[in-house]
């Protein structure tokens, strides 16, 4: 066996595992960051067509008591604080918690809004740059000549992966009632949690030019990329199991033909009962196993029928144009106070869209090399199976102890199953 072939297999194996690891890391990051994301969002900015103000918002609260449990925000544009460009955003007491912000301190409270307190919540990056690593809570800073007291510090998720999905703006969240004449300030978005009393009142608020977005539905679509990979690997496993089932069926037929006697049917069953029972179990278990594999594969699959254009279902250019238009529109209109979660969704979607074919291409190349080497060396074959078995067991331990996504475990386990079934199939048929 050529050493070059082993080296190529090793490189492809490492590349495959790294691709699956990257895929899972992006997926896990999305799930962790968006676990409490707003499920139902009313966008009233609508490309600048709406003039919905704080006064309108307060009038609605007086009319509909159920709408106290909603969040608002309004982007004030770029400002300067200590020679640094920031984006101040007006918010109420619900905005940060609804948008999954992790906040140290009191944040913005209903009491602060009632008292028109000049309070603000800043990011960790802003706090480190302007307060030199000391706790910024209780400290003050000036914005447009007005001094604000820091009542909270939010985690701005300043790491390499999350920075890919940010728009580069450094936001400061300010109590909306801190401004003079705040009633006339424009609100960009109004949002609420789905299936609450407030969400059921949105259709009756009388706000024009708003857009409903169901992030719960969209978040489910992110899982579909794992399902795509799992489905293809599951089909390969099912083919091997089906071949084993057909071989078992033929083998059992030959066994019965050789052992059967018209006069000695029951004695034949009695003498061969363990073997016949095992064959019966295999005959029943393999189809059930195939069925369960597909059930497990599709348990997280979700089709959003509302977004499927049935008239142009097979038009790839139309689908790409539509995808680009949707992503571009959402990028500019949703979450006026912070585009992070919108960018995180769109960015995760595009990254997974790129990594999925890479994983599948690497797998088929790896599988081709594995089959080729298996014919030449049993030792190499067993080493590869052992490596993937160890990876599967390790990922199972990590999944159980950390609560992270099972994506890496699912994919590595399916690959391990394919390798084992490939070896078993060859051994059984030879025998």
């Amino acid at each position: 066996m050529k050493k070059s072939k082993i080296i190529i297999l090793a490189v492809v194996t490492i590349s495959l595992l790294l691709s699956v690891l990257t895929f899972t890391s992006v997926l896990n990051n999305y799930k962790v960051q968006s676990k409490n994301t707003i499920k139902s969002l009313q966008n009233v900015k609508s490309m600048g067509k709406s003039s919905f103000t704080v006064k309108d918002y307060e009038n609605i609260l007086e009319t509909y008591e159920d709408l106290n449990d909603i969040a608002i925000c309004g982007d004030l544009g770029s400002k300067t604080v200590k020679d640094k460009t920031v984006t101040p955003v007006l918010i109420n007491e619900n905005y940060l918690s609804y948008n999954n912000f992790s906040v140290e301190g009191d944040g913005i409270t209903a009491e602060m809004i009632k008292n028109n307190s000049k309070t603000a919540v800043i990011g960790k990056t802003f706090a480190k740059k302007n307060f030199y690593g000391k706790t910024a809570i209780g400290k003050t800073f000036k914005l447009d000549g007005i001094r604000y007291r820091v009542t909270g510090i939010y985690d701005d998720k300043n790491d390499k992966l999350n920075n890919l999905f940010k728009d580069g703006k450094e936001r400061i969240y300010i109590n909306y009632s801190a401004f003079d004449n705040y009633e006339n300030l424009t609100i960009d978005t109004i949002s609420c949690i789905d299936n609450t009393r407030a969400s059921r009142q949105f259709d009756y608020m009388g706000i024009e030019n708003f857009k409903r977005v169901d992030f719960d539905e969209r978040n489910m679509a992110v899982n579909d990329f794992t399902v795509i990979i799992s489905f293809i690997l599951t089909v390969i496993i099912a083919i091997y199991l089906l071949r084993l089932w057909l071989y078992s069926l033929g083998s059992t037929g030959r066994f019965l033909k050789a052992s059967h006697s018209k006069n000695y049917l029951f004695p034949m069953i009695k003498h061969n009962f363990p073997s016949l029972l095992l064959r019966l179990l295999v005959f029943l278990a393999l189809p059930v196993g195939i069925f369960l594999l597909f059930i497990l594969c599709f348990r997280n699959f979700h089709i959003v029928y509302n977004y499927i254009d049935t008239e142009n279902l097979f038009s790839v250019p139309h689908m790409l144009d539509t995808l680009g238009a949707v992503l571009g529109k959402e990028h500019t209109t949703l979450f006026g106070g912070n585009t992070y979660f919108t960018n995180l969704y769109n960015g995760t979607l595009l990254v997974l869209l790129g990594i999925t074919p890479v994983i599948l291409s690497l797998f088929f190349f790896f599988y081709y090399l594995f089959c080729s080497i298996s014919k030449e060396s049993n030792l190499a074959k067993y080493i590869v199976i052992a490596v993937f078995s160890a990876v599967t067991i390790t990922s199972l331990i990590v999944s159980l102890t950390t609560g992270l996504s099972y994506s890496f475990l699912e994919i590595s386990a399916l690959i391990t199953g394919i390798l084992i079934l490939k070896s078993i199939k060859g051994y059984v048929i030879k025998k």
Side-chain angles (χ1 to χ4, degrees), residues 135-333:
T135 179
I137 295 179
K139 303 290 193 302
T140 62
F141 65 90
K142 274 189 176 183
L143 174 67
D144 287 344
I146 301 174
R147 188 167 292 278
Y148 294 90
R149 179 169 56 89
V150 176
T151 54
I153 303 173
Y154 71 90
D155 184 0
D156 50 13
K157 304 175 179 69
N158 189 23
D159 58 60
K160 292 181 180 179
L161 182 58
N162 285 300
N163 287 342
L164 293 173
F165 307 116
K166 293 182 178 178
D167 57 7
K169 293 182 179 181
E170 192 163 17
R171 288 179 171 83
I172 295 174
Y173 295 97
I174 298 174
N175 164 23
Y176 76 82
S177 69
F179 279 76
D180 294 332
N181 197 29
Y182 68 82
E183 294 90 346
N184 296 321
L185 294 171
T186 300
I187 293 176
D188 291 335
T189 62
I190 293 183
S191 52
C192 74
I193 302 298
D194 198 15
N195 295 324
T196 60
R197 294 174 66 186
S199 68
R200 292 191 288 272
Q201 290 288 347
F202 267 110
D203 294 332
Y204 307 102
M205 289 195 302
I207 304 175
E208 296 180 356
N209 299 320
F210 67 81
K211 177 180 176 63
R212 179 185 296 275
V213 178
D214 190 343
F215 265 80
D216 190 34
E217 271 191 348
R218 292 171 185 248
N219 291 348
M220 291 179 184
V222 173
N223 293 317
D224 290 349
F225 288 93
T226 303
V227 177
I228 292 170
I229 298 173
S230 299
F231 172 71
I232 293 175
L233 299 179
T234 300
V235 168
I236 297 173
I237 289 179
I239 290 172
Y240 275 120
L241 290 176
L242 184 60
R243 293 182 67 180
L244 286 173
W245 184 79
L246 291 173
Y247 173 78
S248 174
L249 185 63
S251 174
T252 301
R254 291 190 295 271
F255 173 80
L256 290 175
K257 186 176 181 180
S259 305
H260 176 59
S261 170
K262 291 183 179 179
N263 299 324
Y264 301 101
L265 175 62
F266 290 105
M268 183 272 292
I269 295 175
K270 181 179 178 181
H271 290 304
N272 297 283
F273 183 75
S275 176
L276 291 173
L277 181 61
L278 180 60
R279 291 173 184 274
L280 179 62
L281 290 175
V282 171
F283 179 77
L284 296 175
L286 288 179
V288 172
I290 293 173
F291 177 74
L292 290 177
L293 276 173
F294 281 101
I295 291 294
L296 290 173
C297 176
F298 286 110
R299 71 190 186 281
N300 292 323
F301 188 65
H302 181 73
I303 298 178
V304 185
Y305 295 100
N306 296 334
Y307 306 126
I308 297 178
D309 186 354
T310 54
E311 294 181 0
N312 299 281
L313 188 60
F314 300 103
S315 174
V316 175
H318 175 79
M319 291 172 64
L320 293 176
D321 290 342
T322 303
L323 178 63
V326 170
L327 294 182
K329 186 176 181 181
E330 288 185 354
H331 183 82
T332 55
T333 62

